[in-house]
Amino acid sequence: MGVFAALRNHARCFTQCTLDDEKERKMLQIEDLQVKLGDKEILKHIDLEIHPGETHILFGPNGSGKTSLLMTIMGYPQYRVTGGKILFKGKDITHMPVDERAQLGISMSYQRPPTIHGVKTRQMVQICAKGEVDVEALATKMNFSEFLERDINAGFSGGEIKRSELLQLMAQDADMLLFDEPESGVDLENISLIGNTISKLLQRDFMVKSEKTQKERRKERTKMGLIITHTGFILDYVTADKGQVLYEGVLVCTTSPREIFRTISEVGYEECVRCVS
Amino acid sequence: MRELDKKALQAKEKNAKLGPDIDLESYDSEPVPHDYVEDLGSLSEAEKKRMILAGVDAEEKDRSGTYIQKDTAVLHAGSKEEGLEVIPIKQALREHEWIKDYYWKLVSVDTDKYTARAQLDLHDGYVIRALPGSKIIYPVQACLYLEKEGLSQNVHNIIIAEEGSELHVITGCATAAHLRQGLHVGISEFYIKKNAKLSFTMIHHWAEEMMVRPRSVGRVEEGGLFLNNYICMRPVKSLQMYPTTHLVGKGAVARFYNLLVGSPGSEMDVGGRIFLKETDTRAEIVSRAITNGGNIIARGDLIGEVPGVKAHLECRGLILNGGSIHAIPELKGEVDGVEMSHEAAVGKIAQEEILYLMSRGLSEDEATSTIVRGFLSVDIPGLPPQLKAEIDRAVEQSDKDVM
């Protein structure tokens, strides 16, 4: 290798390294997080890091605290942080109000969002996009055009709620996306639409004949995802880097999501009980 | 006329069934002369501005006719369209024999001391009539404007949608910016004849010490439609009204929409009553009330007198910042085979809704105001876009005040 080539290489590494550092600073970092809902301790000493470009799947039986963890990250005040902290993009957001977190780049797809009478779905999409947005085009993608003039979530079926939530997240275009059981209540016809949309939102969709290689695209990926799943269906559509198991408020396990799903499918959460005790 | 006067005299001291009593003697009732205005453009800017708040456009853009009364005098009355008449009621009483078939035929002159006063000391008012088969697409605008401090403005209005006609009326009541105290007594009688359609949208824009006592009754014949929208989002000392409509022809429909915002010191007692007297008639009353310190009574009363009628009453209230809302929905089915329902809810804005909007990036204040605006934005089928725009504007304005 000639001197110039070596220098060029070095320079590239230097740029790449700073870029990586830059990227890393944007991660979500949860340290020793303890949360109470009312008087009940629902999250116990949670440590979790989601790096830019990473997607994690969150497993756990009913009532284990999965939704609570998402709501705490989003900043819902009834989830009272009694210890530990949450950092996002280098900022301590532990006690930051919901709207500021949203502005900083956190978004959430809810399982049971409230109905707001008189507020149309179209308006919600505009709110998410902070103004300029081609609502029709987005809605067409989500097969949701006929719902735009309806009051948000009013009389929506389970599957319609999911499509509405994803439509809003598409408009919001946040860096950190939290999904609370995105596939629950979705009929077979729409499950691939939901799955593929999430995949796209998390920059994990496969592009045929893309100018960039898949490897390059992976490297450039910045979106962070945390997905709660009950059925595991979502794993057929969304690739994920890590799986986490939450059991009675404790993160008991971190490994490949496929492996966790397989274990749960085979023996249920029995196996997790052994790790807790 | 003698008979009417006689009956009115007997009811002169008769208190109203609802609402705090008003001492009529404490208000001046002497006529206040103002010159007739041919060209609406010559109104003062201040007047135009106040009138716009109540939905009246001095340029008459997208309007088919105009009636403006200031204090006790008619400033302007005229129709821009064939098939539409806009006449001051005193003139009508002088010149047209037919008006006698409508004058005090629905509202009883001896209902209470306010109806009595409107007979004994009538200032003026409007007669708006769509001739048979006329489709008047653009709204007629009417404004009852109060400028003189301490005046009792006594008006009587009659609206007639003749057979097969279509008519939209927006009427605004407003006061001059400086005015504090006054009394408005307004009689309104609505005649919706066979297969006719009338939408009547009233936007009130009063002053803090105003007393307001409207008395109105409508009658809808076979296949007729009556949309009655009432919007009052500004402070008023005491407002009491209970507009009533009789559905007397097969398939007649009436829909009432009330939007109320009660500010501190305001007492509002607003209802709606619909009698379903013939088969296949339909009635709906929707009321939305918000208080940020005022007291609101929202009444609704549906009476099904024959089988095969359908009626629904919906009353929602939001208490934002003190004050009270008393929802009184009433249903009365007098025979087998009526289908009547009501729902009422009074509460505060759900925290969950605010947080949901905040997680989409709105601040807490923006989220609250979005919810309030949504609460007040009721879809009113059959309302022309110009009137929808006026209502939206009133809601927008009130939102600024409530926040």
Side-chain angles (χ1 to χ4, degrees):
Chain A
M1 192 191 287
V3 179
F4 288 112
L7 269 177
R8 210 161 45 226
N9 234 358
H10 178 76
R12 189 184 297 150
C13 173
F14 186 74
T15 339
Q16 190 61 50
C17 296
T18 33
L19 271 178
D20 283 349
D21 284 354
E22 185 69 34
K23 205 172 144 181
E24 278 313 303
R25 272 201 288 274
K26 294 189 169 164
M27 71 170 167
L28 176 83
Q29 211 172 348
I30 297 176
E31 290 173 9
D32 194 31
L33 184 73
Q34 298 147 59
V35 174
K36 277 187 172 178
L37 181 61
D39 288 332
K40 197 176 172 236
E41 206 179 349
I42 45 164
L43 294 175
K44 299 162 192 168
H45 306 283
I46 304 279
D47 289 302
L48 175 68
E49 278 184 8
I50 301 178
H51 297 267
E54 274 184 6
T55 286
H56 293 210
I57 306 287
L58 186 59
F59 298 92
N62 285 333
S64 58
K66 301 186 300 294
T67 298
S68 302
L69 178 57
L70 262 55
M71 296 295 249
T72 307
I73 297 172
M74 193 68 244
Y76 274 64
Q78 60 266 47
Y79 297 89
R80 209 156 35 85
V81 177
T82 54
K85 59 182 173 184
I86 308 172
L87 303 168
F88 182 62
K89 294 187 178 174
K91 283 201 172 90
D92 186 339
I93 63 164
T94 318
H95 299 289
M96 191 183 263
V98 176
D99 56 325
E100 288 175 31
R101 294 187 203 211
Q103 276 150 18
L104 200 58
I106 302 180
S107 66
M108 177 159 171
S109 160
Y110 296 84
Q111 207 189 349
R112 287 187 204 88
T115 296
I116 309 179
H117 289 290
V119 176
K120 308 286 178 214
T121 305
R122 173 187 300 280
Q123 201 182 338
M124 286 301 291
V125 177
Q126 284 162 338
I127 287 169
C128 287
K130 296 185 191 71
E132 297 279 305
V133 63
D134 187 346
V135 181
E136 265 78 19
L138 284 187
T140 306
K141 277 189 198 165
M142 220 50 236
N143 191 12
F144 213 63
S145 306
E146 58 193 284
F147 291 85
L148 287 177
E149 304 311 325
R150 286 197 25 196
D151 288 356
I152 188 74
N153 301 325
F156 287 12
S157 72
E160 285 157 4
I161 283 179
K162 299 297 140 62
R163 279 188 281 153
S164 152
E165 290 291 294
L166 290 193
L167 174 60
Q168 292 174 58
L169 290 204
M170 280 162 74
Q172 209 169 347
D173 193 27
D175 300 315
M176 172 85 223
L177 295 92
L178 309 165
F179 299 90
D180 194 351
E181 293 199 27
E183 79 273 45
S184 75
V186 178
D187 51 34
L188 282 174
E189 206 179 320
N190 282 304
I191 187 89
S192 65
L193 174 64
I194 299 278
N196 291 330
T197 305
I198 295 176
S199 183
K200 206 167 196 163
L201 281 167
L202 295 170
Q203 300 166 325
R204 288 170 174 269
D205 52 323
F206 192 82
M207 271 192 198
V208 190
K209 289 186 187 158
S210 159
E211 275 183 21
K212 287 176 182 159
T213 65
Q214 250 342 83
K215 194 172 170 185
E216 281 170 323
R217 290 188 64 223
R218 185 163 66 234
K219 207 160 184 144
E220 287 171 8
R221 195 184 280 159
T222 54
K223 303 281 183 185
M224 292 163 267
L226 182 57
I227 308 175
I228 297 180
T229 182
H230 227 44
T231 60
F233 284 157
I234 207 72
L235 298 176
D236 294 342
Y237 301 93
V238 184
T239 61
D241 303 286
K242 282 179 189 163
Q244 311 272 358
V245 178
L246 192 60
Y247 193 86
E248 293 182 349
V250 183
L251 266 187
V252 287
C253 194
T254 304
T255 181
S256 133
R258 283 268 166 210
E259 192 178 336
I260 295 176
F261 185 57
R262 178 130 188 241
T263 313
I264 298 166
S265 307
E266 300 274 333
V267 294
Y269 286 102
E270 296 293 311
E271 190 58 26
C272 306
V273 181
R274 289 175 48 183
C275 297
V276 184
S277 46
Chain B
M1 276 300 169
R2 286 269 164 74
E3 271 307 300
L4 286 170
D5 280 347
K6 216 172 114 190
K7 278 175 89 177
L9 274 170
Q10 280 162 4
K12 224 180 147 209
E13 308 293 329
K14 186 175 168 189
N15 284 1
K17 282 190 187 142
L18 302 171
D21 187 47
I22 298 169
D23 176 16
L24 294 179
E25 299 313 313
S26 62
Y27 294 89
D28 188 4
S29 195
E30 284 301 302
V32 187
H34 294 289
D35 290 337
Y36 190 85
V37 178
E38 272 313 327
D39 173 18
L40 290 176
S42 66
L43 290 169
S44 80
E45 285 307 314
E47 282 170 338
K48 281 187 206 164
K49 223 170 136 186
R50 297 292 288 184
M51 287 178 191
I52 278 175
L53 291 173
V56 172
D57 179 14
E59 286 174 14
E60 286 192 286
K61 195 173 164 289
D62 295 344
R63 299 287 192 259
S64 59
T66 299
Y67 174 88
I68 298 177
Q69 179 177 333
K70 185 164 156 183
D71 296 325
T72 64
V74 179
L75 281 200
H76 188 91
S79 157
K80 294 195 333 189
E81 274 189 53
E82 197 80 13
L84 171 73
E85 295 176 348
V86 180
I87 321 165
I89 199 164
K90 277 194 159 172
Q91 182 189 337
L93 286 167
R94 278 195 309 269
E95 298 173 3
H96 303 289
E97 198 51 37
W98 55 261
I99 195 69
K100 308 238 156 56
D101 297 335
Y102 302 94
Y103 188 65
W104 292 116
K105 293 297 181 206
L106 292 176
V107 178
S108 298
V109 69
D110 58 357
T111 305
D112 53 32
K113 64 205 237 187
Y114 309 107
T115 54
R117 170 163 265 211
Q119 168 62 21
L120 297 171
D121 198 0
L122 177 67
H123 290 140
D124 222 313
Y126 52 77
V127 175
I128 298 174
R129 180 158 84 129
L131 298 179
S134 308
K135 309 273 181 205
I136 312 296
I137 302 306
Y138 287 119
V140 182
Q141 57 182 0
C143 179
L144 300 161
Y145 188 75
L146 210 60
E147 190 187 60
K148 188 168 183 284
E149 188 69 32
L151 179 76
S152 156
Q153 183 185 50
N154 315 321
V155 301
H156 193 138
N157 309 313
I158 291 174
I159 295 181
I160 305 160
E162 296 284 358
E163 202 171 312
S165 68
E166 178 174 342
L167 176 61
H168 303 277
V169 177
I170 177 162
T171 166
C173 294
T175 54
H178 62 77
L179 187 123
R180 286 187 52 76
Q181 237 182 90
L183 165 67
H184 172 87
V185 173
I187 312 301
S188 299
E189 297 180 283
F190 304 97
Y191 296 86
I192 298 92
K193 299 201 181 167
K194 197 173 166 187
N195 297 326
K197 176 180 173 183
L198 169 66
S199 88
F200 181 77
T201 301
M202 180 141 86
I203 299 180
H204 274 173
H205 205 95
W206 300 111
E208 278 172 26
E209 296 294 321
M210 275 294 294
M211 310 295 273
V212 183
R213 291 293 180 270
R215 297 289 177 256
S216 64
V217 178
R219 183 175 186 275
V220 189
E221 294 179 13
E222 186 181 335
L225 169 67
F226 182 27
L227 281 182
N228 189 356
N229 310 310
Y230 179 68
I231 294 118
C232 185
M233 303 191 168
R234 302 283 307 167
V236 58
K237 180 159 176 102
S238 168
L239 160 70
Q240 187 273 317
M241 60 191 252
Y242 209 144
T244 298
T245 283
H246 301 270
L247 301 178
V248 299
K250 198 168 184 292
V253 177
R255 297 207 185 92
F256 284 21
Y257 298 88
N258 292 335
L259 304 180
L260 306 169
V261 173
S263 314
S266 296
E267 300 277 342
M268 296 177 168
D269 184 337
V270 176
R273 176 177 285 141
I274 302 174
F275 290 90
L276 298 98
K277 294 168 168 297
E278 194 48 72
T279 57
D280 290 336
T281 51
R282 306 267 176 278
E284 184 183 32
I285 298 177
V286 175
S287 146
R288 295 271 190 280
I290 292 185
T291 177
N292 57 348
N295 297 318
I296 300 178
I297 302 176
R299 298 174 200 269
D301 191 9
L302 296 168
I303 303 101
E305 298 184 1
V306 295
V309 302
K310 264 191 196 169
H312 181 69
L313 182 59
E314 179 187 309
C315 183
R316 292 212 186 113
L318 265 189
I319 302 174
L320 284 190
N321 188 19
S324 70
I325 294 176
H326 186 177
I328 311 179
E330 288 184 66
L331 301 180
K332 189 175 175 195
E334 297 182 343
V335 286
D336 278 5
V338 296
E339 211 180 308
M340 305 169 79
S341 56
H342 80 69
E343 52 178 305
V346 175
K348 57 174 187 171
I349 294 182
Q351 192 64 13
E352 198 197 0
E353 295 175 22
I354 295 178
L355 288 166
Y356 185 53
L357 287 169
M358 286 173 75
S359 76
R360 301 301 190 220
L362 295 187
S363 71
E364 190 171 353
D365 282 353
E366 288 165 342
T368 309
S369 115
T370 302
I371 294 166
V372 166
R373 266 203 305 266
F375 180 83
L376 292 173
S377 82
V378 184
D379 291 324
I380 304 174
L383 198 67
Q386 299 87 5
L387 295 188
K388 170 91 182 94
E390 290 301 343
I391 294 177
D392 289 346
R393 193 156 63 171
V395 169
E396 201 76 25
Q397 186 64 35
S398 90
D399 168 47
K400 283 182 205 146
D401 300 334
V402 171
M403 292 302 135

